[in-house]
Amino acid sequence: MRRRDFIMLVGGAGAAWPLAASAQQPAKVARIGFLGASTPFGVVGLDRFRAGLRDLGYVEGANMFIDFRWAEGNYARLAELAVDLVRLKVDVLVTYGTPGTLAAKRATTTLPIVMVVSGDAVATGIVASLARPGGNVTGSTFFDPELHAKRLELIKEAWPSASRVAILLNLDNPLNAPLMQAMGLTAKSLKLELQPFEARTPEEFESVFSRVAKTHVDAIAVTSDTVFMSNTRRIAEIAANNRIPLFGGVEFARAGGLIGYGVNLPDLWYRGAFFVDKILKGAKPADLPIERPTKFDLTINLKTAKALGLTVPDTLLARADEMIE
């Protein structure tokens, strides 16, 4: 069982309404540019984004076309791909994650940009504020640094004796600085020693986790980098093979990690279609407040806990939105 999360408008409006309720048949053929930092197979909510567009009356290949560009995990390519989409004169540019959104913003100051989801749009300078984003970017964000700090609290709650935690980072992600700052403050209060480990590509995962295992840390916390989120199952499998308890977003727990805590990403992707629809019908990004989720899910994988020989406290189990057995 798991409770549905919902999204509140920062400006104070009510919960997000069903997309289908405002569905209208668009008057012209819309052209959407999509900038992907990973691959089509590594995006958690792309199907939900397309479903949202369909519910709003957009039929791909009929009254709407999407031009995709994929960086395949190489963030250095994002800038040229973003410029390429701008040259196509698309009606709106859609992207996700901090690297992709920053690349899109640098490529144009006039073309409307929808960030389906971004770790902390204010801290990374993507928008000026949530209520009044200004500029040409709108969409959804969440306070990722605080979310990562909360995961450290969950590690300590699950195992009070824990003292050393590895952090998996992609150094190419600009969100690392605020993430590590928030995690560092929380770690200090919890008397946890953090040990950062770096990986930029999936080819590095095996060697990185081998090094992590040799340090005998109590757990590893995986940051919500796009490369990592596109390889949740592989990362979870490698962590299990090395008998390292893994913490991350809910997707990691569902893929075989131990505990996941975070937002409902597929719902944010579905909601992203709402922003696209508003812009195609004439709204300005600067006039559309940034939305953020107000509900976070806790997922505990009891099957993984058993395999690792670990017992999750009842107090933590009682708060879980989802348990995998």
Side-chain angles (χ1 to χ4, degrees):
M1 294 179 59
R2 52 189 303 274
R3 299 186 295 270
R4 300 293 296 167
D5 61 349
F6 57 94
I7 301 171
M8 295 292 292
L9 290 176
V10 175
W17 53 90
L19 295 182
S22 61
Q24 298 178 11
Q25 191 71 12
K28 68 165 192 171
V29 176
R31 190 171 188 182
I32 300 170
F34 187 99
L35 179 63
S38 56
T39 68
F41 309 104
V43 180
V44 173
L46 184 56
D47 287 344
R48 294 295 293 152
F49 175 67
R50 280 173 153 153
L53 290 173
R54 287 195 300 271
D55 288 347
L56 285 163
Y58 296 92
V59 180
E60 211 168 333
N63 61 4
M64 178 269 292
F65 292 88
I66 305 178
D67 291 294
F68 290 96
R69 297 293 184 273
W70 299 99
E72 299 181 341
N74 183 357
Y75 293 168
R77 297 187 59 211
L78 286 169
E80 63 177 289
L81 295 176
V83 170
D84 186 30
L85 288 170
V86 171
R87 286 174 181 157
L88 292 178
K89 300 187 184 301
V90 295
D91 298 304
V92 58
L93 182 54
V94 177
T95 189
Y96 59 95
T98 301
T101 307
L102 284 174
K105 184 180 179 182
R106 289 165 184 154
T108 177
T109 58
T110 56
L111 181 67
I113 298 170
V114 171
M115 56 177 183
V116 175
V117 60
S118 178
D120 193 329
V122 175
T124 52
I126 293 171
V127 296
S129 73
L130 300 182
R132 298 180 181 275
N136 61 324
V137 181
T138 189
S140 296
T141 191
F142 57 94
F143 299 132
D144 212 17
E146 289 81 356
L147 195 59
H148 281 72
K150 177 63 178 178
R151 290 172 188 157
L152 293 182
E153 294 178 3
L154 291 171
I155 292 175
K156 195 68 174 179
E157 183 177 354
W159 294 278
S161 62
S163 60
R164 301 171 70 194
V165 177
I167 309 295
L168 186 63
L169 298 165
N170 183 342
L171 287 186
D172 292 335
N173 196 323
L175 191 57
N176 285 334
L179 283 185
M180 289 306 296
Q181 181 179 13
M183 295 177 80
L185 291 173
T186 299
K188 184 176 181 181
S189 67
L190 296 174
K191 294 181 171 54
L192 286 175
E193 176 188 346
L194 303 184
Q195 295 185 248
F197 287 84
E198 307 156 8
R200 288 183 171 90
T201 67
E203 291 72 27
E204 298 176 72
F205 294 159
E206 290 280 2
S207 61
V208 168
F209 272 85
S210 178
R211 294 200 305 273
V212 171
K214 292 176 182 177
T215 64
H216 303 291
V217 294
D218 297 296
I220 184 167
V222 181
T223 57
S224 53
D225 178 78
T226 299
V227 172
F228 304 155
M229 296 299 294
S230 300
N231 292 275
T232 53
R233 187 162 300 280
R234 183 174 179 188
I235 290 174
E237 287 176 353
I238 296 173
N241 291 339
N242 285 277
R243 300 192 59 78
I244 305 172
L246 185 148
F247 289 70
V250 293
E251 294 77 17
F252 283 99
R254 291 171 185 160
L258 185 58
I259 293 180
Y261 180 76
V263 301
N264 188 313
L265 291 175
D267 278 3
L268 293 182
W269 278 85
Y270 186 79
R271 183 63 177 168
F274 160 82
F275 289 97
V276 171
D277 178 58
K278 285 292 185 181
I279 288 172
L280 291 176
K281 291 175 179 173
K284 305 295 183 185
D287 299 329
L288 297 175
I290 305 296
E291 295 182 1
R292 62 186 177 91
T294 58
K295 167 70 171 60
F296 303 91
D297 289 335
L298 174 62
T299 299
I300 300 175
N301 194 318
L302 294 177
K303 181 179 178 181
T304 300
K306 182 178 180 180
L308 293 172
L310 300 172
T311 301
V312 181
D314 291 338
T315 54
L316 199 55
L317 293 175
R319 302 205 311 273
D321 299 278
E322 178 183 19
M323 288 188 286
I324 301 171
E325 302 184 70

